[in-house]
Amino acid sequence: MSSESLERIARNKNVARAAARQLSMEQLQKLLEVIEEVIESKKDEDRVRQEEEVQKARKLAEIREQISEAGLSLEDLVAEQPKRKRGRPPKNPK
């Protein structure tokens, strides 16, 4: 089953019912178990991602505070960017 047909089933209740008619009760129960496992793992992934974002934001705030306490600015930390040459390079460099 392609992801396109799964999306179609997920978006339309009547399409899902029609697809379910083709399955036995055992197959439907197994499908339910698999979908529940997928949902739980997706929730866990989202939870971990949110925790990582919170930790990253905390660390960033700490670093900014340390920078300001040291009397520095972000520009002091960034090295000057090399200037790019304008135009295209020659086609046949000889």
Side-chain angles (χ1 to χ4, degrees):
M1 186 173 275
S2 70
S3 63
E4 185 177 297
S5 58
L6 282 175
E7 289 175 20
R8 190 167 163 249
I9 289 171
R11 280 181 284 167
N12 191 322
K13 192 183 290 187
N14 290 332
V15 173
R17 285 184 181 140
R21 281 189 207 112
Q22 298 173 3
L23 301 174
S24 69
M25 278 304 289
E26 290 176 9
Q27 291 171 323
L28 287 172
Q29 287 295 332
K30 180 67 177 171
L31 180 62
L32 176 64
E33 292 171 8
V34 170
I35 289 175
E36 286 174 344
E37 288 177 20
V38 170
I39 290 172
E40 282 302 312
S41 69
K42 188 95 166 158
K43 284 180 181 178
D44 290 342
E45 289 173 8
D46 288 347
R47 208 173 298 123
V48 167
R49 190 175 314 117
Q50 287 176 348
E51 288 173 8
E52 289 173 352
E53 288 176 7
V54 167
Q55 289 177 356
K56 192 174 180 180
R58 283 185 194 147
K59 287 180 183 179
L60 184 60
E62 289 174 10
I63 291 171
R64 285 185 176 153
E65 184 178 331
Q66 291 173 354
I67 289 172
S68 68
E69 287 175 358
L72 299 172
S73 68
L74 293 177
E75 290 79 27
D76 295 333
L77 300 176
V78 177
E80 193 172 315
Q81 297 291 328
K83 297 192 179 206
R84 295 183 182 178
K85 294 182 180 179
R86 296 267 178 184
R88 293 184 179 177
K91 287 185 179 180
N92 296 323
K94 289 184 180 181

